[in-house]
């Protein structure tokens, strides 16, 4: 795979996607497609809303602005009430949902939940009845490795068209495969290099249709623009996004990206011989910039919250397009600074507050290839539903969908959203909502 960094020169005409108010703006020899927007003036007219598509060094760039392409009556929305709510793993099982990290819905309506607190897969009927369990913490066949004696969250699970479940064992460095009824099928170790060395602590991103598994590993080297001093400072390790073949061997690397920000302080009493002590402490950075990735179908989406930009890669690792906007960075105000301090024990941050908030909170891909980008919610913002910007598979901004308060989607299907909801006491529930799509002109 290759990261395919884009250039600035337009080398081929842009592709025109039909829209309700499609227009083409031509400036000199550069062809630009303006989708679903109003263009003014001759030559390089101003575009008020919609998206502009251009090819930059052979890479499609989609610049979005305005309110999106959905008509007022055509916006998607979730059902007012969940179709199903799983509040525990069953009264008779004695296993409550705890540290749920993922969930998928099978073709027959059954739901599989990755219960990280017990390192188990829980299989539920379409009515929410617990049918079976798979996995568990341990080192035996079909078990998930634990760290310091504690079950660790299963990072990602997915189901194949035949409803076979694949689960990521991050600590154990392997993929565990289960039948639709919860029976263990096989283990696939992750490996790299000519000697087949095991790969541990790869953080799962997801699977592609060809069975490839995407995961990130830390490189422990700062991004080029981060230079901490000898006593520490702002640090930002790089991450490598890697693709493993269905047999678990490392196939290639999509690219390396800036990781999550933190603040590191170093206290050292080492002498010239290396004797003494060294203490390293990591502290949170206010409104830290973070790395996010999602995989599904034939697409890998990567975004870093420094900017409202997501890069879409194909199964072969080629950069397909860059999706930008809409929106402008929000300025960090006094109320948000105070709220962040209160949320972190009343302590002033070790790193200074940034001028702007992160460009987004998280991202996801749905079953039909739409990109979903969650709007950043800062401490001090009014509580309420989360808002997600939805882009079609070609990167055009459609509009926003709101999710219930304290609800995090784990799987977005063609007509449903399955996710984790926490009540006022932080008790975990898995909820299934209908995703209603209306197209009224």
């Amino acid at each position: 795979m290759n990261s395919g960094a884009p250039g600035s020169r337009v080398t081929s005409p842009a592709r025109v996607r039909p829209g309700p108010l499609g227009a083409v703006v031509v400036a000199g020899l550069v062809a630009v497609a303006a989708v679903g927007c109003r263009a003014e003036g001759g030559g390089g007219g101003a575009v008020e809303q919609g998206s502009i598509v251009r090819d930059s060094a052979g890479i499609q760039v989609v610049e979005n602005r305005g309110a999106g392409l959905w008509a007022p009556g055509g916006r998607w929305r979730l059902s007012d009430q969940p179709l199903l709510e799983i509040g525990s793993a069953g009264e008779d099982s004695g296993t409550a949902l705890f540290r749920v990290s993922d969930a998928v819905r099978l073709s027959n309506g059954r739901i599989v939940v990755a219960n990280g607190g017990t390192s188990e897969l829980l299989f539920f009927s379409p009515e929410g009845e617990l049918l079976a369990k798979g996995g568990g913490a341990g080192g035996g066949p079909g078990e998930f490795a634990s760290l310091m004696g504690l079950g660790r969250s299963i990072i990602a699970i997915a189901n194949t068209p035949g409803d076979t479940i694949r689960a990521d064992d991050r600590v154990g460095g392997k993929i565990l495969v289960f039948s639709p009824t919860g029976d263990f099928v096989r283990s696939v170790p992750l490996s790299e290099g000519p000697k087949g060395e095991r790969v541990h602590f790869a953080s799962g991103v997801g699977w592609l249709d060809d069975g490839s598994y995407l995961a990130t590993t830390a490189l422990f080297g700062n991004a080029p623009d981060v230079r901490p001093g000898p006593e520490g400072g702002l640090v930002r390790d790089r991450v490598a996004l890697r693709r493993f073949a269905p047999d678990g061997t490392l196939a290639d690397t999509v690219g390396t990206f800036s990781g999550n920000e933190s603040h590191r302080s170093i206290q050292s009493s080492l002498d010239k011989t290396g004797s003494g002590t060294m203490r390293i402490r990591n502290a949170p950075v206010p409104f830290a910039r973070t790395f996010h990735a999602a995989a599904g179908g034939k697409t890998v989406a990567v975004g870093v919250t420094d900017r409202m930009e997501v890069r879409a890669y194909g199964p072969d690792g080629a950069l397909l397009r860059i999706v930008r906007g809409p929106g402008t960075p929000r300025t960090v105000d006094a109320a948000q600074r105070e709220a962040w301090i209160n949320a972190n024990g009343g302590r002033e941050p070790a790193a200074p507050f940034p001028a702007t908030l992160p460009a987004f909170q998280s991202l996801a891909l749905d079953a039909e290839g739409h990109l979903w980008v969650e709007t950043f919610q800062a401490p001090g913002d009014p509580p309420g539903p989360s808002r997600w910007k939805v882009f079609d598979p070609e990167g055009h901004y459609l509009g926003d969908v709101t999710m219930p308060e304290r609800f995090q989607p784990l799987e977005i299907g063609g007509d449903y959203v399955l996710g984790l909801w926490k009540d006022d006491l932080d008790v975990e529930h898995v909820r299934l909502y209908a995703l209603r799509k209306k197209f009224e002109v």
Side-chain angles (χ1 to χ4, degrees):
M1 288 191 173
N2 59 77
S3 58
S8 59
R9 184 170 61 89
V10 177
T11 59
S12 62
R15 300 160 201 165
V16 180
R17 177 182 182 274
L21 294 174
V24 176
V25 182
V26 180
L29 298 178
V30 179
V32 179
V35 181
C37 60
R38 181 169 67 88
E40 298 179 342
V47 178
E48 289 189 348
Q49 66 178 37
S51 57
I52 298 177
V53 184
R54 59 187 173 86
D55 280 354
S56 178
I59 299 167
Q60 188 183 76
V61 180
V62 186
E63 300 275 0
N64 292 283
R65 61 197 68 190
L69 300 180
W70 278 334
R75 296 182 180 276
W76 299 353
R77 64 181 179 85
L78 271 63
S79 55
D80 293 334
Q81 299 296 326
L83 304 179
L84 175 68
E85 179 169 322
I86 301 171
S88 71
E91 295 181 358
D92 297 333
S93 70
T95 303
L97 297 183
F98 179 53
R99 292 182 181 171
V100 169
S101 60
D102 211 347
V104 295
R105 191 184 190 203
L106 306 185
S107 61
N108 59 8
R110 292 184 177 184
I111 291 173
V112 184
V113 175
N115 198 44
T118 59
S119 294
E120 291 177 307
L121 301 185
L122 307 178
F123 292 73
F124 295 91
S125 72
E127 296 73 35
E129 177 188 0
L130 180 65
L131 301 175
K133 297 181 182 181
E143 294 180 328
F144 295 90
S146 59
L147 187 63
M148 297 176 65
L150 300 175
R152 301 293 292 179
S153 294
I154 302 161
I155 300 300
I157 58 177
N159 62 300
T160 67
D163 284 342
T164 299
I165 303 300
R166 292 171 291 185
D168 162 34
D169 181 4
R170 178 174 180 264
V171 178
K174 60 184 181 293
I175 303 299
L176 300 183
V177 182
F178 295 85
S179 75
T181 56
D183 296 320
F184 173 64
V185 177
R186 65 182 181 275
S187 176
V188 181
L190 300 181
S191 62
E192 63 178 330
K195 296 182 180 180
E197 297 178 356
R198 291 289 291 272
V199 178
H200 295 271
F201 297 101
S203 296
V205 170
W207 281 265
L208 298 178
D209 282 347
D210 64 0
S212 297
Y213 172 63
L214 278 297
T216 61
T217 55
L219 297 180
F220 302 107
N222 277 305
D225 57 343
V226 177
R227 295 286 186 269
E231 296 182 355
L234 183 68
V235 294
R236 191 172 192 179
D237 290 329
R238 302 281 286 173
V239 296
L241 179 58
R242 312 168 85 184
R243 182 174 69 89
F244 294 87
D247 64 359
T249 59
L250 178 64
D252 44 39
T253 298
V254 176
T256 60
F257 306 89
S258 297
N260 300 343
E261 291 181 325
S262 65
H263 187 276
R264 184 170 299 161
S265 60
I266 302 174
Q267 296 179 338
S268 174
S269 62
L270 299 180
D271 57 25
K272 294 182 179 181
T273 65
S275 300
T277 61
M278 175 181 290
R279 296 183 60 187
I280 300 176
R281 177 178 178 271
N282 288 323
V285 171
F287 311 124
R289 273 45 177 172
T290 52
F291 167 89
H292 298 273
K298 294 179 174 60
T299 305
V300 183
V302 179
V304 182
T305 62
D306 301 64
R307 60 189 66 85
M308 186 59 184
E309 177 181 292
V310 178
R311 298 188 172 207
Y313 297 85
D316 60 353
L319 180 59
L320 303 177
R321 68 184 55 88
I322 300 173
V323 181
R324 294 174 178 156
T328 57
R330 294 171 55 196
T331 302
V332 176
D333 59 30
Q336 290 162 345
R337 290 193 290 268
E338 182 179 358
W340 189 94
I341 292 173
N342 291 336
N344 285 271
R347 297 185 296 272
E348 290 284 341
F353 284 99
T356 59
L357 295 173
F360 62 91
Q361 186 99 12
S362 64
L363 58 84
L365 290 169
D366 70 16
E368 298 176 344
H370 296 87
L371 171 67
W372 296 61
V373 181
E374 184 181 8
T375 300
F376 185 80
Q377 291 183 298
D381 286 351
S386 62
R387 192 171 77 254
W388 293 72
K389 297 184 182 299
V390 183
F391 301 79
D392 72 11
E394 296 178 352
H396 303 284
Y397 173 52
L398 300 176
D400 290 357
V401 173
T402 57
M403 300 275 187
E405 186 176 356
R406 301 190 300 275
F407 176 79
Q408 184 67 28
L410 298 174
E411 183 184 51
I412 305 176
D415 59 359
Y416 67 88
V417 179
L418 179 67
L420 174 66
W421 177 76
K422 296 182 179 181
D423 63 20
D424 293 335
L425 299 177
D426 276 344
V427 176
E428 298 182 14
H429 305 251
V430 170
R431 282 183 168 184
L432 175 69
Y433 288 90
L435 179 58
R436 307 195 190 281
K437 301 177 179 179
K438 294 175 60 178
F439 297 94
E440 300 175 359
V441 180

